[in-house]
Amino acid sequence: MPCVVADTSPLFYLAKLHRLPLLRDLYGKVHLPPEGWRETLAGGRLVPELAPMFLAAKNEGWLVIEEVRTRITDLEILALDAGECEAIALARQLGATLLIIDEKHGRAVATRFGLTVPGTLGVLINAKQRGWIPALKTELSKLRHETDFRFSTELETHVLELVGEAEG
């Protein structure tokens, strides 16, 4: 299994879709920095139905809260929020294969550090390609209409083409 670190937002979006266990199924364990866990708990208080999912993932041992021992002082990373900074630092510290992060600037910085950044859509694509999601189009519709996740119709078309669900 690859070493995987996650930022907070993909956890929320996947939980909102009731797809959080995909992370366990795809990657075995997912590491989260302390700031990411604090953000997750705070968000879980705002959206109470999600909190039990996050706590279960931690208690089951596949969502691992990992201390960040090294800090990155690069000005580019310091422009990100604390959770994103810690996620990138933790990914580098662990030699992670993947950093699951959605925020555009965070993805760009992580890519410059040599990290692969699949994001929420990447997780869903991977799960669909394994046959674990019957219709990605349904998941994208929920993501668009039931969360604040934003993506263009061009990206949606591209993603659906990747998984063989393109219309026409």
Side-chain angles (χ1 to χ4, degrees), residues 118-141:
T120 300
L121 293 179
V123 171
L124 293 172
I125 290 167
N126 195 343
K128 169 61 179 174
Q129 290 170 332
R130 292 173 184 242
W132 298 346
I133 293 176
L136 188 56
K137 185 173 185 121
T138 302
E139 302 299 320
L140 295 180
S141 178

Side-chain angles (χ1 to χ4, degrees), residues 70-82:
T70 58
R71 300 288 177 211
I72 301 173
T73 57
D74 186 292
L75 291 177
E76 206 169 16
I77 196 170
L78 295 176
L80 303 173
D81 76 27

